[in-house]
Amino acid sequence: MVDQFQELDPAAFRSALAQFPSGVTIMTTRSEAGTLHGFTASSFAALSLDPPLILACLDRGADCFPVFMAAKHFVVNIVTDAHADLALKFATKGENKFADGNFELDEAGNPLLPDAAAVISCELEQAVPGGDHVILIGRVRDARTGAGKPVTWYRGGFLPLGERAA
């Protein structure tokens, strides 16, 4: 059977996806050696209330991929407009991502943003292959909300909530 999607233009697909606003998170963890790692994820969602589960997608080519696959715990930091530059840094390979961040460590030693819109601490429940990504399923162990408003990613840029899209 011939794959009916083999002629899909990757640029057209990316452009279509840009029409869907999504939240922005910085996912963080700590390696067994104690090194901090993280990435920016806009593919994040609630999966289940009972049990409390979330999901996020991680590119298999990300520098931090092996660390997240071995991690027992990770943190989802839902970013605000004030974190836009930090989110871009965490979306870039090779950056010293934690150099300028205002991170604190949780009880398990994982980095969190204390001024995030929300911080969700998870235990890795499962990692499911999904094309060039893996779907991280986390069992929520703690969830806290902050005072800031979350920011969305739309058409290749940040869009704070409450503003009108162009």
Side-chain angles (χ1 to χ4, degrees), residues 96-151:
N96 183 357
K97 298 176 181 183
F98 292 90
D100 299 322
N102 204 12
F103 289 90
E104 295 178 358
L105 300 180
D106 68 8
E107 303 77 35
N110 295 305
L112 60 84
L113 282 169
D115 58 343
V119 175
I120 303 169
S121 298
C122 300
E123 183 177 320
L124 182 62
E125 178 93 359
Q126 190 175 5
V128 180
D132 59 1
H133 282 62
V134 66
I135 304 161
L136 302 174
I137 298 175
R139 182 177 290 260
V140 178
R141 296 298 183 196
D142 186 48
R144 305 174 217 169
T145 58
K149 290 183 181 178
V151 68

Side-chain angles (χ1 to χ4, degrees), residues 23-49:
V24 182
T25 68
I26 295 176
M27 311 280 294
T28 58
T29 195
R30 180 192 246 356
S31 72
E32 284 196 24
T35 307
L36 304 181
H37 294 271
F39 67 98
T40 298
S42 58
S43 294
F44 166 80
L47 178 60
S48 170
L49 290 175

Side-chain angles (χ1 to χ4, degrees), residues 3-69:
D3 184 354
Q4 64 181 344
F5 299 107
Q6 68 187 16
E7 297 300 317
L8 178 64
D9 175 16
F13 180 50
R14 201 178 250 291
S15 179
L17 293 177
Q19 300 305 308
F20 182 73
S22 62
V24 182
T25 68
I26 295 176
M27 311 280 294
T28 58
T29 195
R30 180 192 246 356
S31 72
E32 284 196 24
T35 307
L36 304 181
H37 294 271
F39 67 98
T40 298
S42 58
S43 294
F44 166 80
L47 178 60
S48 170
L49 290 175
D50 187 18
L53 300 173
I54 58 88
L55 65 83
C57 298
L58 172 59
D59 188 329
R60 291 174 178 273
D63 292 341
C64 62
F65 179 79
V67 176
F68 273 85
M69 291 299 89

